[in-house]
Amino acid sequence: LPVLGLYLACLWAGARLLGADGARSRRALVVAASVVGVVVAVAAVLELLGLTITPSTDSTRTGTVVGNATDQGIVALLVLSVLLAPAVRERDRVAAVGAGAAVVGLATSGSRAALVVGVLVVVVHLVRWRSARRATWVPLASALGALVVLALAIPSTRDRLLSSGTVTGRQVLWGESWRLVQHHLLIGVGPSRYVDAIGAVHDDTWVEKVGVAAPPDSPHLWPMQALSTGGLPLLLLAVAFGGLVAWRGAERVRAGRDPLALGLLCGVVGYGLVLLTHFTAPA
């Protein structure tokens, strides 16, 4: 209940501060996103250098101030998506600093899903602005190159990119989750009950292929998470609301009146894509 209250409070605050069109609300979003990007990047770099900023869930990856390493990648992805347009097309220095920090946050996170979606976000902007002048696409191409080079240069990120360990774990997890929800299709197992209910279908395969250090606490796949929490009704609602957001966002982009619309849509859709391998969290 406290976490759901936090979600609703964030939704209200965002609508209250940014709901009205105008330069003031737009500036508030750019500055806030830039500050978040810088804080996350600085904390991640300090942790890579061996300084503990906050307790991490995995000592081999940066946890920083937003949760685990994938949460860091998600936040950096959202910041990058929002700031690309003002940084590149408007030469906004604050946005440029925030976007650069977001690239660092993404690269240091080691989150394969966030990195892949981050690359896709930059490519989408390149395609959208393919007819723009050289001064527009060169910074985008540079951001793409910097993201790839940094990801390969940081040992912990490079090792994860070349490893299939968690991929195997996801396959086992999704198989067990599907076996569980087949018995609870109508109403699911209830909010936050997955971690208890999964034991009914949990077998030695998980220990053999993943180990004992990380017992499953979520399906790490948002449609399956909705299905296990509230059954088919919640899954249908989640898909319907997701489709509505994507449709309205695409309309806003096509209208061409809001320079941030493309980045906002990329951020929301990109987050949905990362949640195909991760769990929902307040960060």
Side-chain angles (χ1 to χ4, degrees):
L1 287 177
V3 174
L4 291 175
L6 177 61
Y7 287 155
L8 292 174
C10 289
L11 178 62
W12 176 86
R16 178 70 178 82
L17 294 171
L18 307 172
D21 288 331
R24 187 175 179 181
S25 62
R26 186 171 178 275
R27 189 63 187 165
L29 177 60
V30 170
V31 172
S34 298
V35 170
V36 169
V38 170
V39 169
V40 168
V42 169
V45 170
L46 290 176
E47 286 201 339
L48 279 180
L49 295 176
L51 299 175
T52 301
I53 305 303
T54 58
S56 176
T57 56
D58 184 344
S59 61
T60 64
R61 301 173 67 191
T62 57
T64 73
V65 292
V66 292
N68 70 9
T70 302
D71 291 325
Q72 174 190 316
I74 288 171
V75 172
L77 169 68
L78 293 172
V79 170
L80 181 64
S81 300
V82 170
L83 297 181
L84 274 177
V88 172
R89 306 206 83 176
E90 301 171 19
R91 303 294 186 270
D92 187 319
R93 293 183 179 179
V94 173
V97 171
V103 169
V104 173
L106 263 176
T108 54
S109 74
S111 170
R112 285 169 292 202
L115 282 165
V116 169
V117 175
V119 169
L120 289 176
V121 166
V122 180
V123 170
V124 166
H125 280 75
L126 277 167
V127 172
R128 179 73 176 177
W129 300 337
R130 60 186 178 278
S131 60
R133 62 186 186 279
R134 183 173 180 270
T136 296
W137 60 261
V138 167
L140 282 175
S142 300
L144 185 61
L147 181 57
V148 173
V149 169
L150 275 176
L152 294 176
I154 298 172
S156 58
T157 301
R158 183 176 64 248
D159 292 344
R160 278 188 61 79
L161 290 174
L162 300 177
S163 169
S164 62
T166 57
V167 175
T168 302
R170 292 292 188 277
Q171 292 172 346
V172 177
L173 180 62
W174 294 336
E176 290 188 349
S177 299
W178 175 240
R179 292 203 302 274
L180 173 66
V181 300
Q182 281 180 306
H183 302 290
H184 304 275
L185 287 176
L186 186 59
I187 59 172
V189 298
S192 300
R193 286 284 300 163
Y194 176 92
V195 67
D196 301 308
I198 192 65
V201 295
H202 208 35
D203 58 29
D204 293 343
T205 306
W206 179 268
V207 177
E208 292 170 358
K209 295 189 175 181
V210 181
V212 296
D217 54 4
S218 164
H220 284 64
L221 178 70
W222 72 259
M224 192 76 76
Q225 184 169 335
L227 190 58
S228 66
T229 299
L232 286 172
L234 184 58
L235 174 61
L236 293 175
L237 276 174
V239 171
F241 279 128
L244 177 62
V245 169
W247 174 56
R248 291 289 290 153
E251 276 191 337
R252 187 97 173 182
V253 171
R254 284 194 296 268
R257 293 189 297 270
D258 183 358
L260 288 179
L262 179 61
L264 293 171
L265 181 61
C266 284
V268 172
V269 174
Y271 181 41
L273 291 175
V274 177
L275 286 184
L276 293 174
T277 64
H278 192 53
F279 50 85
T280 54

